[in-house]
Amino acid sequence: MYNLANRGDDELIDHLAGEGIAYVPFFPLGGYDSLQSDTLDNVAADVDATPMQVALAWLLQRSPNILLIPGTSSVTHLRENVAAANLRLPAEAIATLDRIGT
Ligand SMILES: NC(=O)c1ccc[n+]([C@@H]2O[C@H](COP(=O)([O-])OP(=O)(O)OC[C@H]3O[C@@H](n4cnc5c(N)ncnc54)[C@H](OP(=O)(O)O)[C@@H]3O)[C@@H](O)[C@H]2O)c1
């Protein structure tokens, strides 16, 4: 399990990146209890995206070895999630989001 709010695998991800090994987190959007954060909402408003798109974009920018399989039962969410791959978060947004994690 790894996402904006659950950063327990930070060291492992960096180690695997150095070895050229992919890391695929489960619960990239928080799983059963989707991520909820005022900070995430504010960044999303700033970059004109949804909070879940920002959460996915943050993961994709966190490390090149992170691959994502966000689960959804909604075609609308599926489209949003695919579009998140093209969302580039500015450095200030990433720094703000990094403060959410533990
Ligand atoms: N091997 C394991 O032990 C294990 C354990 C857990 C999960 N997994 C796998 O990991 C993947 C992801 O797990 P997951 O689906 O449980 O967790 P997740 O991807 O973190 O979150 C899924 C939740 O986020 C919501 N969601 C998805 N896209 C959204 C969007 N754009 N906007 C708002 N809400 C959105 C979904 O609701 P909607 O349906 O309403 O979109 C669903 O409630 C799945 O493929 C799952 O099979 C594996």
Side-chain angles (χ1 to χ4, degrees):
M1 173 166 139
Y2 184 83
N3 55 50
L4 253 182
N6 295 276
R7 305 281 301 271
D9 274 355
D10 270 333
E11 226 173 282
L12 174 64
I13 290 166
D14 292 337
H15 173 71
L16 294 176
E19 301 290 323
I21 297 171
Y23 176 92
V24 185
F26 73 83
F27 293 167
L29 295 175
Y32 305 112
D33 299 312
S34 289
L35 294 168
Q36 291 182 8
S37 153
D38 289 343
T39 303
L40 176 58
D41 291 348
N42 291 338
V43 169
D46 285 346
V47 300
D48 197 21
T50 72
M52 294 302 118
Q53 286 179 312
V54 170
L56 294 174
W58 177 85
L59 281 164
L60 290 173
Q61 282 179 241
R62 164 66 182 78
S63 184
N65 64 328
I66 292 185
L67 308 180
L68 297 179
I69 312 174
T72 183
S73 57
S74 149
V75 173
T76 300
H77 287 168
L78 176 63
R79 291 200 171 107
E80 290 174 2
N81 296 347
V82 171
N86 293 321
L87 176 61
R88 293 300 298 173
L89 297 171
E92 317 84 70
I94 299 219
T96 302
L97 294 166
D98 277 341
R99 290 196 282 276
I100 295 175
T102 51

